[in-house]
Amino acid sequence: MSESSTANLRTRLREIIFGTDTRPGRAFDIALLVVIVASVVNLMLVSVAAIESRFGPVLHALEWLFTILFSIEYAVRIYAARRRWAYIRSFYGIIDLLSVLPLYLALILPSAHYFVAVRALRVMRIFRVLKLVRYANDANVLTRSLRHAQRKMQIFLGVLALVTVILGALMYVVEGPTHGFTSIPRSMYWAVVTITTVGYGDIAPATPAGQAIAGIAIMLGYALLAVTGGIITAELTNEISNERQLRQCPHCERSGHEIDAHYCKFCGGHLDKYEEEDPPADKEQAADRDKLD
Amino acid sequence: MSESSTANLRTRLREIIFGTDTRPGRAFDIALLVVIVASVVNLMLVSVAAIESRFGPVLHALEWLFTILFSIEYAVRIYAARRRWAYIRSFYGIIDLLSVLPLYLALILPSAHYFVAVRALRVMRIFRVLKLVRYANDANVLTRSLRHAQRKMQIFLGVLALVTVILGALMYVVEGPTHGFTSIPRSMYWAVVTITTVGYGDIAPATPAGQAIAGIAIMLGYALLAVTGGIITAELTNEISNERQLRQCPHCERSGHEIDAHYCKFCGGHLDKYEEEDPPADKEQAADRDKLD
Amino acid sequence: MSESSTANLRTRLREIIFGTDTRPGRAFDIALLVVIVASVVNLMLVSVAAIESRFGPVLHALEWLFTILFSIEYAVRIYAARRRWAYIRSFYGIIDLLSVLPLYLALILPSAHYFVAVRALRVMRIFRVLKLVRYANDANVLTRSLRHAQRKMQIFLGVLALVTVILGALMYVVEGPTHGFTSIPRSMYWAVVTITTVGYGDIAPATPAGQAIAGIAIMLGYALLAVTGGIITAELTNEISNERQLRQCPHCERSGHEIDAHYCKFCGGHLDKYEEEDPPADKEQAADRDKLD
Amino acid sequence: MSESSTANLRTRLREIIFGTDTRPGRAFDIALLVVIVASVVNLMLVSVAAIESRFGPVLHALEWLFTILFSIEYAVRIYAARRRWAYIRSFYGIIDLLSVLPLYLALILPSAHYFVAVRALRVMRIFRVLKLVRYANDANVLTRSLRHAQRKMQIFLGVLALVTVILGALMYVVEGPTHGFTSIPRSMYWAVVTITTVGYGDIAPATPAGQAIAGIAIMLGYALLAVTGGIITAELTNEISNERQLRQCPHCERSGHEIDAHYCKFCGGHLDKYEEEDPPADKEQAADRDKLD
């Protein structure tokens, strides 16, 4: 096979596997989506004892079929990717590998049981397909917003962790081992379950003093987290509003554009100058390609 | 009966049943509201064993009475509707049918028990009456906003589902069948109950490792959902604000109008040009008519 | 006593009881606050069996003391009020009556036990004192916002009630009496406890089908309520922002004033023309007086 | 040692301990962070019986090591602080003392058990280090916002407390001692656990009347708190937006600056005139110094 025909094959495969504009590309995405969902459902069914005892062989054969399909897909993705190492080390590259590796490892290692959780990670592959097919805009906005809000989420987690440690230590001292608060870590588990308002009730304060302190601590923690959440929402609102106001069309100089808009909604010109040389049709795809291959 | 008198009857019935501006139309709505609430309360009372054993015959007779009333109403609605098929296939048309069908089917089919849930759907009929009578504006804004936020809600559900599958598989592996996590589906039920912070406690991690992992997972999931909720609120705030700013009166060119406003609050002119030929008085009703008959 | 001295006494009592600007008025408010808190604490202590058995006579004597004090206060309030009927029928007038009535009724009626809940309503009297003393601004904003958001809260409650009825009927059918869902009302109790994410776990789905349906219903309900809450927050944000933008100083014509501001923050002029004849010092109090006496 | 060399030593120590700009200052902060985290983890491990029985002596020795290290740090901080009393009485000064005092008191007092909760407070020291090292901006914004939202949080807590007292008294009357509602305080503990949606289920209404009333009360309380939270978020959003709009650069007169910005993002000039004489490099640190020493 000549070098150019190999290059052609790679380009074609890349369009089908990574792209969404062509008909075969779209068909591939839909087929992949079906296979991913089927493989996750299969994983669930295997874990149900009543189903596994009746349909075990069929389900395990299906699991192997899905794994081989994903393995082929993974190999083809590496082959077709423009920048192979970039793909392998990318977020979705690692997810793709983790979708197939556990079953192969289970052949060698005895305690394959633990890999079920790793295999369930393949459900995240759905997001890649969805991102390209349907939820492109909204999901991008959400992803961008989440990246934007990452430090705010860390602060939220920090406040949560702080409350957990202090409340956990407090209740360990007040209630003590006789009522289930056998250690600070276990008491902190109770604190997490309580502060997030999950409240299983497997551990709960039983003495009047413990109930009084827990009651006050829950109120304070609840109000603190509610207001912290409110502050984060308020700041996000203003940041998004600010970003929109700052985003100005370089052609007509009007602002107020959505964060994920590529073109000016007033004059239709490119909002980002550096993208102007790209053909508009496959820009999204191009951006994706830049990231993955 | 001449054709024109039939047309007159239909128009009159339509005004009473679908309209809200005339006195008989309003009286009909209030009567309907009372009957719907009574029929839902009746449904509840039948299900209470102590009440059913004492008042059973009366309650069942009432159920038949309500069903016959709703059947007559359904027939008249079809007769009076401008576009009959459109009404039958509309959301409220189907709800109207589902309100009466189960009892008739119970005469033929033996396992009528399951239709109770279907009959309870008639509670949704309340919303039609309310929409026309009192909460018109607010409910419309909410409906519009919900339609607006539909994809955001799907994203929220997507994040929820993703966390559920991964957390479910993880805890199935960590805790295992001995502590109630007997299968991935059951483990996912636990994950839903936990991540939504319902936390029944019928299944809860019991091993230190399970409690540690669950504690961390709950914190992460809680923070993720809180921040996702915050982002959605922030985006809705900006979209509503933006929509209001973009809505400009074609007459006085001032903006800042509520999303559900029909007339300019500064000059009183029509905000939407295409509606200008409609007589203002029964526009809402006209819009409703366009949808239903 | 001459008529004018009676009028003087009434005016003076009014200043002390309803006002907050004079020193005796402030002292009265603080004394009242202490007595209310003491009487509520007393109510709690009486209910604890271990405390009641030891200090019963003292606590009951105190309860009588507080009731007599409140009775005198109530009588003086009626005497001093400018418009007596308006005070008696006002929200706080009724709360004042309900604070003292139960104990007198307990002398006549045998089943006094149930009046404890009515007596606990006296805790709401704290809010009157607080409103006048310290949280004046914030509480007013909150009260106004709550009145503003009243219909939104009704919609929230409507969505909650709708989900409750449908989910309750559904789970009654799916789970049935053997797992605690003995009737639709009880099933609805479960639905409320679940949808508000309280989740006691006293009733919980036990069959795989019930858990699957409950899991999906919880996710949908949770997302629906989270997004509904987000929409309400978003609309409130825009309404508050809008109100502020619309509020224009009649003197310097600049806008952006807080909802509860009385004076322009730029030029110091009255924001509301109709209040201009009032002396500024006791305007808040005057507004209060207008409402109560 | 001459007076000036002492002053030099103090200045140098101050730079290392309170500052973050110099290399030794940064190294000190990171070392301190590691020691604090290690000491908190140590505290947790001591409380686990299985670990304590095996590694008890090592862990207790480590606890003494950490306490001595913190004691030295505390002494040096007092020595180096510019204004010593201000530091001792400051928030972090008290936390620093509470981190070391319990262990010394445990030597004298017999019931040292209760000091574990006090010792856990040292986890708050992490925040000082974090504030200076990494989360400076975001944490400051959060702290400022929280101070800003302090009264709103008090209102939230007030609404929570009001609902708790009334709901607690109501359910005490309705359910009574036979179903766990043995006293108003215990009933209020149930109300807190319910209204914050924690819902352990250790106490839950068992009678149909109690479940009906609790169901309605939970719905009302939930909607009230959700809408109160929404109002607070809405007001915070507008306040932050307003603050940003009001913040005007004194040099170029453009507004829209972040709340925690020190310099104009358009012309780079000082936003606050009174800070203009400060050298920009160590302003944050200077502000910190002003507060602590």
Side-chain angles (χ1 to χ4, degrees):
Chain A
M1 211 191 280
S2 77
E3 202 170 274
S4 81
S5 78
T6 311
N8 269 343
L9 179 68
R10 274 187 66 195
T11 309
R12 209 173 137 56
L13 279 171
R14 203 184 298 140
E15 265 166 21
I16 294 170
I17 294 180
F18 291 102
T20 48
D21 294 331
T22 57
R23 273 200 55 196
R26 206 159 287 165
F28 176 81
D29 279 340
I30 288 161
L32 188 59
L33 192 62
V34 170
V35 175
I36 293 169
V37 170
S39 81
V40 171
V41 168
N42 190 54
L43 208 65
M44 288 174 192
L45 293 179
V46 170
S47 77
V48 183
I51 293 171
E52 208 272 342
S53 66
R54 276 192 64 188
F55 306 102
V58 181
L59 297 173
H60 286 290
L62 276 172
E63 179 60 24
W64 271 107
L65 175 68
F66 293 134
T67 302
I68 288 162
L69 281 177
F70 289 152
S71 305
I72 294 167
E73 188 214 336
Y74 183 59
V76 174
R77 270 186 198 272
I78 292 176
Y79 173 72
R82 203 170 277 170
R83 274 172 286 149
R84 283 165 186 168
W85 264 109
Y87 163 68
I88 290 169
R89 285 172 316 190
S90 73
F91 176 70
Y92 282 116
I94 291 162
I95 292 289
D96 289 348
L97 183 61
L98 289 177
S99 301
V100 295
L101 209 61
L103 207 61
Y104 295 122
L105 287 177
L107 290 178
I108 316 164
L109 298 164
S111 62
H113 176 62
Y114 284 93
F115 290 123
V116 172
V118 177
R119 273 191 271 161
L121 285 174
R122 71 173 61 151
V123 80
M124 297 190 77
R125 305 189 67 207
I126 289 173
F127 276 68
R128 189 204 347 229
V129 182
L130 286 182
K131 200 189 70 184
L132 296 173
V133 178
R134 239 191 96 199
Y135 288 87
N137 269 11
D138 279 327
N140 276 4
V141 171
L142 195 79
T143 310
R144 270 182 236 192
S145 300
L146 273 178
R147 211 169 298 146
H148 208 64
Q150 207 172 4
R151 287 184 75 174
K152 291 194 198 310
M153 199 173 137
Q154 285 171 1
I155 290 168
F156 200 84
L157 278 171
V159 172
L160 212 62
L162 180 82
V163 173
T164 298
V165 172
I166 293 173
L167 193 56
L170 188 70
M171 290 304 289
Y172 167 70
V173 166
V174 173
E175 282 283 320
T178 46
H179 299 106
F181 296 79
T182 48
S183 67
I184 291 185
R186 200 171 142 86
S187 205
M188 279 167 64
Y189 160 73
W190 168 84
V192 169
V193 166
T194 296
I195 280 301
T196 57
T197 77
V198 172
Y200 291 128
D202 51 349
I203 316 171
T207 61
Q211 290 179 342
I213 290 168
I216 292 163
I218 290 169
M219 277 177 73
L220 287 174
Y222 181 70
L224 180 67
L225 282 170
V227 171
T228 304
I231 291 170
I232 287 172
T233 303
E235 285 182 5
L236 281 171
T237 306
N238 282 299
E239 277 168 28
I240 291 173
S241 151
N242 211 35
E243 232 169 281
R244 208 181 255 182
Q245 273 163 31
L246 287 180
R247 207 147 179 232
Q248 211 180 24
C249 173
H251 307 287
C252 70
E253 300 198 337
R254 267 179 284 189
S255 58
H257 301 287
E258 306 274 327
I259 300 158
D260 57 333
H262 287 296
Y263 295 96
C264 173
K265 63 183 166 190
F266 300 112
C267 73
H270 277 283
L271 287 174
D272 309 301
K273 272 178 182 167
Y274 59 85
E275 284 189 31
E276 236 161 327
E277 53 275 14
D278 250 30
D282 53 342
K283 207 190 307 177
E284 176 76 23
Q285 192 187 342
D288 203 71
R289 227 183 256 146
D290 286 3
K291 230 168 40 216
L292 291 183
D293 34 44
Chain B
M1 208 189 279
S2 77
E3 203 170 273
S4 80
S5 77
T6 311
N8 269 342
L9 179 67
R10 274 187 65 193
T11 308
R12 210 174 136 55
L13 279 171
R14 205 184 299 141
E15 266 167 20
I16 294 169
I17 295 181
F18 292 101
T20 47
D21 294 331
T22 58
R23 273 202 53 197
R26 205 158 290 166
F28 176 81
D29 279 340
I30 288 161
L32 187 59
L33 193 61
V34 170
V35 175
I36 292 170
V37 170
S39 80
V40 171
V41 168
N42 191 54
L43 207 66
M44 288 174 193
L45 293 179
V46 170
S47 78
V48 183
I51 294 170
E52 208 272 341
S53 65
R54 277 193 63 188
F55 306 102
V58 181
L59 297 173
H60 287 289
L62 276 171
E63 179 61 23
W64 271 108
L65 176 68
F66 293 134
T67 302
I68 289 162
L69 282 175
F70 289 151
S71 305
I72 294 167
E73 187 216 335
Y74 183 59
V76 175
R77 269 185 199 273
I78 292 175
Y79 174 73
R82 203 170 278 170
R83 274 172 286 149
R84 283 164 187 170
W85 264 110
Y87 162 68
I88 290 169
R89 285 174 316 190
S90 74
F91 176 71
Y92 282 117
I94 291 162
I95 292 288
D96 289 350
L97 183 62
L98 289 177
S99 301
V100 296
L101 208 61
L103 207 60
Y104 296 122
L105 286 176
L107 290 178
I108 317 165
L109 297 165
S111 62
H113 176 60
Y114 284 93
F115 291 123
V116 172
V118 177
R119 274 192 270 162
L121 284 174
R122 70 173 61 149
V123 80
M124 296 190 77
R125 304 189 68 208
I126 289 173
F127 276 67
R128 185 196 359 223
V129 182
L130 287 182
K131 200 188 70 182
L132 296 174
V133 179
R134 238 191 96 201
Y135 289 87
N137 269 12
D138 279 328
N140 276 4
V141 170
L142 194 79
T143 310
R144 268 182 237 193
S145 299
L146 273 178
R147 210 170 298 145
H148 207 67
Q150 207 172 4
R151 288 185 73 175
K152 292 193 198 311
M153 199 171 136
Q154 285 171 2
I155 289 168
F156 200 83
L157 279 171
V159 173
L160 213 60
L162 180 82
V163 173
T164 299
V165 172
I166 292 172
L167 194 55
L170 188 70
M171 291 304 288
Y172 167 69
V173 167
V174 174
E175 283 282 320
T178 46
H179 298 107
F181 295 81
T182 49
S183 67
I184 291 184
R186 202 170 142 85
S187 204
M188 280 167 64
Y189 161 72
W190 168 84
V192 169
V193 166
T194 296
I195 279 300
T196 57
T197 78
V198 172
Y200 291 128
D202 51 350
I203 316 171
T207 61
Q211 290 179 342
I213 290 168
I216 291 162
I218 290 169
M219 277 178 73
L220 287 174
Y222 181 69
L224 180 67
L225 282 169
V227 171
T228 304
I231 290 169
I232 287 172
T233 302
E235 284 181 7
L236 281 170
T237 306
N238 282 298
E239 276 168 29
I240 291 172
S241 152
N242 210 37
E243 236 170 277
R244 206 181 256 179
Q245 274 163 30
L246 288 180
R247 213 154 174 227
Q248 210 181 25
C249 173
H251 307 286
C252 70
E253 301 199 336
R254 266 179 287 190
S255 58
H257 302 286
E258 305 275 326
I259 299 159
D260 57 333
H262 287 296
Y263 296 96
C264 174
K265 63 181 168 191
F266 299 112
C267 72
H270 278 283
L271 285 175
D272 309 301
K273 271 179 182 165
Y274 60 85
E275 285 190 30
E276 236 160 328
E277 53 275 13
D278 250 31
D282 53 342
K283 206 191 310 177
E284 177 76 23
Q285 192 186 341
D288 204 69
R289 227 182 256 146
D290 286 1
K291 233 172 31 221
L292 291 184
D293 34 45
Chain C
M1 211 189 280
S2 76
E3 201 170 276
S4 82
S5 77
T6 310
N8 269 341
L9 179 66
R10 273 188 67 196
T11 309
R12 208 173 137 55
L13 278 172
R14 203 184 302 139
E15 265 166 21
I16 293 169
I17 295 180
F18 291 102
T20 47
D21 293 332
T22 57
R23 272 202 54 195
R26 205 158 291 166
F28 176 81
D29 279 340
I30 287 160
L32 188 59
L33 191 63
V34 170
V35 175
I36 293 169
V37 169
S39 81
V40 171
V41 169
N42 190 53
L43 208 67
M44 289 174 193
L45 293 179
V46 169
S47 78
V48 183
I51 293 170
E52 207 272 341
S53 65
R54 277 191 64 187
F55 305 102
V58 181
L59 297 173
H60 287 289
L62 276 172
E63 179 59 25
W64 271 108
L65 176 68
F66 292 134
T67 302
I68 290 163
L69 281 176
F70 289 150
S71 305
I72 294 167
E73 187 215 335
Y74 183 59
V76 175
R77 268 184 200 274
I78 292 175
Y79 174 72
R82 203 169 280 172
R83 274 172 287 148
R84 281 163 188 172
W85 264 111
Y87 162 68
I88 289 168
R89 284 174 317 190
S90 73
F91 176 71
Y92 282 117
I94 292 162
I95 292 289
D96 289 348
L97 182 62
L98 289 178
S99 302
V100 296
L101 208 61
L103 207 60
Y104 296 121
L105 287 177
L107 291 178
I108 318 163
L109 297 165
S111 62
H113 175 61
Y114 285 92
F115 291 123
V116 173
V118 177
R119 273 193 270 161
L121 283 175
R122 72 172 61 147
V123 80
M124 296 189 77
R125 306 189 67 209
I126 288 173
F127 276 67
R128 181 186 14 212
V129 182
L130 287 182
K131 200 189 69 183
L132 295 174
V133 179
R134 237 191 97 199
Y135 289 86
N137 270 13
D138 279 327
N140 276 6
V141 170
L142 195 79
T143 310
R144 269 183 236 192
S145 300
L146 272 177
R147 210 171 298 145
H148 207 65
Q150 207 173 5
R151 288 185 74 177
K152 292 195 198 308
M153 198 171 137
Q154 284 171 2
I155 289 169
F156 200 83
L157 278 171
V159 172
L160 213 60
L162 180 82
V163 172
T164 298
V165 173
I166 293 173
L167 194 55
L170 187 72
M171 290 305 288
Y172 167 69
V173 167
V174 174
E175 284 282 320
T178 45
H179 299 106
F181 296 80
T182 49
S183 67
I184 290 185
R186 200 171 142 84
S187 204
M188 279 167 65
Y189 160 72
W190 168 84
V192 169
V193 167
T194 296
I195 279 301
T196 57
T197 76
V198 171
Y200 292 128
D202 52 350
I203 317 170
T207 61
Q211 290 179 342
I213 290 167
I216 291 162
I218 290 169
M219 277 178 72
L220 287 173
Y222 180 70
L224 181 67
L225 282 169
V227 171
T228 304
I231 290 168
I232 287 171
T233 302
E235 283 181 7
L236 281 171
T237 305
N238 282 298
E239 277 169 28
I240 292 173
S241 152
N242 210 36
E243 234 170 276
R244 206 180 257 179
Q245 273 162 31
L246 288 179
R247 210 151 177 230
Q248 209 179 25
C249 173
H251 307 286
C252 70
E253 302 199 335
R254 265 179 287 190
S255 58
H257 302 286
E258 306 274 327
I259 300 159
D260 58 332
H262 287 296
Y263 295 96
C264 173
K265 63 182 166 190
F266 299 112
C267 71
H270 277 284
L271 286 175
D272 309 301
K273 271 179 183 163
Y274 59 85
E275 284 189 30
E276 237 161 329
E277 53 275 14
D278 250 35
D282 54 340
K283 206 190 311 175
E284 176 76 23
Q285 192 187 342
D288 203 68
R289 225 183 256 146
D290 286 2
K291 229 165 43 212
L292 291 183
D293 33 44
Chain D
M1 212 190 280
S2 77
E3 202 169 275
S4 81
S5 78
T6 311
N8 269 342
L9 179 66
R10 273 187 67 197
T11 309
R12 207 172 139 55
L13 279 172
R14 203 183 301 138
E15 265 167 22
I16 293 170
I17 295 180
F18 290 104
T20 47
D21 293 331
T22 56
R23 272 201 55 193
R26 205 157 290 164
F28 176 81
D29 279 341
I30 289 161
L32 188 59
L33 191 64
V34 170
V35 175
I36 293 168
V37 170
S39 81
V40 171
V41 169
N42 190 53
L43 208 66
M44 289 174 192
L45 292 180
V46 169
S47 78
V48 183
I51 293 170
E52 208 271 342
S53 65
R54 276 191 63 187
F55 305 103
V58 181
L59 298 173
H60 287 289
L62 276 172
E63 180 60 25
W64 271 108
L65 175 68
F66 292 134
T67 302
I68 289 164
L69 281 176
F70 288 151
S71 305
I72 294 168
E73 187 215 334
Y74 183 59
V76 174
R77 269 185 199 273
I78 293 175
Y79 174 72
R82 203 169 279 171
R83 274 172 287 149
R84 282 166 187 169
W85 264 110
Y87 162 68
I88 289 168
R89 284 173 317 188
S90 73
F91 176 71
Y92 282 116
I94 291 162
I95 292 289
D96 289 349
L97 183 61
L98 288 177
S99 301
V100 295
L101 209 61
L103 207 60
Y104 296 122
L105 287 176
L107 290 179
I108 317 164
L109 298 165
S111 63
H113 176 62
Y114 284 93
F115 291 124
V116 172
V118 177
R119 273 192 272 161
L121 284 174
R122 72 173 60 148
V123 79
M124 296 190 77
R125 305 190 67 209
I126 288 174
F127 276 67
R128 181 185 16 209
V129 182
L130 287 181
K131 199 188 71 183
L132 296 174
V133 179
R134 238 191 97 198
Y135 288 87
N137 269 13
D138 279 326
N140 276 5
V141 170
L142 195 80
T143 310
R144 269 183 236 192
S145 300
L146 272 178
R147 209 171 297 146
H148 207 66
Q150 207 172 4
R151 288 185 74 176
K152 293 195 197 309
M153 198 171 137
Q154 284 172 2
I155 290 168
F156 200 85
L157 279 171
V159 172
L160 213 60
L162 181 83
V163 173
T164 298
V165 172
I166 293 173
L167 193 56
L170 187 71
M171 290 304 289
Y172 167 69
V173 166
V174 174
E175 283 281 321
T178 46
H179 299 107
F181 297 80
T182 49
S183 68
I184 291 185
R186 199 170 143 86
S187 204
M188 279 168 65
Y189 160 73
W190 168 84
V192 170
V193 167
T194 296
I195 280 300
T196 57
T197 77
V198 172
Y200 291 129
D202 51 350
I203 316 170
T207 60
Q211 290 179 341
I213 291 167
I216 291 162
I218 289 170
M219 276 177 72
L220 287 173
Y222 180 70
L224 181 67
L225 282 170
V227 171
T228 304
I231 290 169
I232 287 172
T233 302
E235 284 182 5
L236 280 171
T237 305
N238 282 298
E239 277 169 29
I240 291 173
S241 151
N242 210 35
E243 234 169 276
R244 205 180 258 179
Q245 273 162 32
L246 288 180
R247 210 149 177 233
Q248 211 180 24
C249 172
H251 307 287
C252 71
E253 300 198 338
R254 267 178 285 189
S255 58
H257 301 285
E258 306 275 327
I259 300 158
D260 58 333
H262 287 297
Y263 295 95
C264 173
K265 64 182 165 190
F266 300 113
C267 72
H270 277 284
L271 287 175
D272 309 301
K273 271 182 181 160
Y274 59 85
E275 283 190 31
E276 237 162 328
E277 52 274 14
D278 250 33
D282 54 341
K283 206 189 309 177
E284 176 75 22
Q285 192 187 343
D288 203 71
R289 227 182 255 147
D290 286 2
K291 228 167 43 216
L292 292 183
D293 34 42

